[in-house]
Amino acid sequence: MATLLHVDSSVFPGAASASRTVTDAFRKAWEEQHPQGTVIYRDLAANPVPHITADAHTAGFAPADAHTPEQAAAFAERLTFIEELEQADAILIGAPMYNFTIPSTLKAWLDQVILIGRTAMSEDSKVKGTPVTVVASRGGSYAPGTPREGYEYVQNYLEAILRDTLALDVHVIVPELTMAPHNPAMADLIPLYEASRAKAVDEAVTKAKEFAERFAA
């Protein structure tokens, strides 16, 4: 049965988080199609992964028998995250925009799983071609043609990392204007926010079923 790696990074729990609401819809649709499947879940807000250290980094470019005890310990933990990525048939990432970019916890996870010559920039990579759905929620709109288009460093960054570096098959869902219900100055945008959120949930369910059918074939 297929394995889904689900990574959330919003600091807000449950329905208070736009990205978690959409990733939850994806996951439920996935599990309906794969009731006997496996979901590997990482909540980076509740259980953040460590930032990469010099020992973890340098160990990735040295043979195991040359590792110092510190390198061996750091790399063993790093391998846990790498192997979860390699085991996944599909990947789901909740990536809200904080201060124009991704949460630091998600960056820390990416630094752990990106290993040149293994998961990245390698013809033999086990993750190459794996489908990944990114839920890139944001408080305003940073779409092409909007005043803040140039401040969009979530989708652009993740596409560069996931598609160009890890060679994943990237699909992005964007629920936007998520601050409209909370910011009086954005009150007129609430209907647009609600439409964007509903559209994102529908896209997530559709994408989950599409992937499920692919792996069931």
Side-chain angles (χ1 to χ4, degrees), residues 9 34 57 60-61 72 89 99 107 115 133-134 145-146 151 185 193 206:
S9 60
H34 290 289
H57 176 72
F61 301 98
D89 296 294
N99 298 316
K107 178 62 165 61
L115 179 56
T133 300
V134 176
T146 62
Y151 291 91
Y193 151 73
T206 298

Side-chain angles (χ1 to χ4, degrees), residues 81-110:
F81 311 124
I82 289 173
E83 289 171 354
E84 287 178 350
L85 185 71
E86 292 177 333
Q87 292 166 13
D89 296 294
I91 305 162
L92 173 64
I93 299 175
M97 176 185 282
Y98 293 158
N99 298 316
F100 305 126
T101 190
I102 63 173
S104 62
T105 51
L106 181 55
K107 178 62 165 61
W109 178 79
L110 287 167

Side-chain angles (χ1 to χ4, degrees), residues 8-29:
D8 274 327
S9 60
S10 172
V11 297
F12 297 102
S17 164
S19 64
R20 288 181 188 270
T21 297
V22 179
T23 59
D24 186 58
F26 182 107
R27 178 172 170 172
K28 286 180 178 177

